[in-house]
Amino acid sequence: MHPSHLPKARRQLLRHLEDPGAPIRKKTGPDNQAGLDRLASHVRAAEMYWVAADMAALAVSSGAQLAAARWATADRPAPCGLLWWDGGIGSVDFQSTPLPVDGVMWGPAPDETCSVSWLVDRRRLAEAAAVTGRELVLEGVPPLVPMWSVLLPVTADPVSMADLPAEAPTVAVGALAAAWLLMQQPMLIDRTQQRADGPTRRAHARDGLPDPEVTVVDLRRQYVPQDQDPDANEGEGRRYRHRWVVSGHWRNQACGPELSERRQTWIPSYVKGPEGAPLLSTERVNVWRR
């Protein structure tokens, strides 16, 4: 999906959720109608993000290294959001069927929780169903298909990934938490604004709505291992005879007023050691390019 098409897809999903005769409403029991109402409110208020494939890959890789994360409003790029992964972030098992994860919705929920809903591209959902031999009726199904939701605790301290609800898919949850953190590092990512396509803009104008925009999130071209040591001023008196590559990793970085707060910050790969010293050949350098 192109970034300019995301506002139209969101509009179609919202209409689907608000239609009492839509399949998602008719096939969902009365106990879950409130959840669909909440999802519709999130879709209506969501800021839209389109994450490029290399950024998505970094979110998956770095998310696997996160031991804990916070899900409070202050930790999100927006209180309500719709994020689309270019190319998806892999598959998860849903009712014994592997389904692709293409997008995610989030927003506030009762009892001090954050509601996170996983989305699948309609075409990719049909392909996944065909592989399992299941027949899938796509008539009336929106291009973004919400498959399942999970409520994540909102706390002051990070919550261990191991303590999240069992129905939370590990890879997808880790990638989302990592994406939120990475999007707060302006030196690491580029943000650009993409307008919706012409028909969608005109439809919004007819309804008296503002011109929808999508925030495109991508890695900066400078995201390559750097021949410098971020800790060069630390540990004076140490003497190294070689240089080596330090892999990308999370650091609990001081931030906020008078550096009184802590935030997980991704440290890209870099080369550590004295300038001119031989580089240990046993190390591997991972280079990310667009």
Side-chain angles (χ1 to χ4, degrees), residues 2-176:
H2 192 272
S4 64
H5 299 157
L6 189 57
K8 180 179 180 180
R10 179 183 70 165
R11 187 178 178 86
Q12 292 172 317
L13 174 58
L14 181 59
R15 287 180 174 176
H16 187 72
L17 290 169
E18 292 180 334
D19 180 6
I24 194 170
R25 288 288 188 174
K26 296 173 67 175
K27 296 181 179 180
T28 301
D31 293 342
N32 293 321
Q33 294 299 320
L36 292 178
D37 292 339
R38 182 172 60 244
L39 178 59
S41 68
H42 294 167
V43 174
R44 189 181 304 108
E47 295 189 22
M48 292 173 286
Y49 302 90
W50 187 90
V51 177
D54 55 355
M55 179 70 184
L58 177 59
V60 173
S61 174
S62 58
Q65 300 183 40
L66 275 176
R70 296 192 309 186
W71 309 98
T73 303
D75 298 294
R76 312 169 203 164
C80 293
L82 165 59
L83 185 150
W84 194 255
W85 309 100
D86 182 25
I89 55 170
S91 299
V92 298
D93 288 333
F94 177 69
Q95 297 181 355
S96 302
T97 300
L99 291 180
V101 177
D102 295 307
V104 59
M105 283 286 317
W106 67 82
D111 301 323
E112 297 297 325
T113 59
C114 174
S115 175
V116 175
S117 302
W118 311 103
L119 306 174
V120 182
D121 181 277
R122 177 176 56 192
R123 175 183 54 82
R124 300 227 301 158
L125 179 60
E127 293 172 353
V131 170
T132 61
R134 296 185 179 182
E135 183 178 356
L136 183 64
V137 179
L138 294 178
E139 184 178 356
V141 175
L144 311 183
V145 185
M147 294 305 300
W148 71 99
S149 300
V150 63
L151 297 179
L152 301 178
V154 173
T155 58
D157 296 322
V159 178
S160 170
M161 293 295 186
D163 293 335
L164 293 180
E167 63 271 21
T170 304
V171 173
V173 170
L176 177 61

Side-chain angles (χ1 to χ4, degrees), residues 58 62 65 182 185 188 223 248-250 264-268:
L58 177 59
S62 58
Q65 300 183 40
L182 294 169
Q185 296 186 234
L188 183 63
Y223 182 57
H249 58 280
W250 293 104
Q264 291 284 355
T265 302
W266 181 253
I267 308 299

Side-chain angles (χ1 to χ4, degrees), residues 172-207:
V173 170
L176 177 61
W180 287 357
L181 290 167
L182 294 169
M183 289 165 69
Q184 298 179 54
Q185 296 186 234
M187 298 302 293
L188 183 63
I189 67 168
D190 278 321
R191 286 176 179 240
T192 57
Q193 297 299 316
Q194 177 77 53
R195 297 179 71 193
D197 56 27
T200 303
R201 294 201 306 271
R202 290 191 288 272
H204 276 67
R206 287 193 299 269
D207 293 341

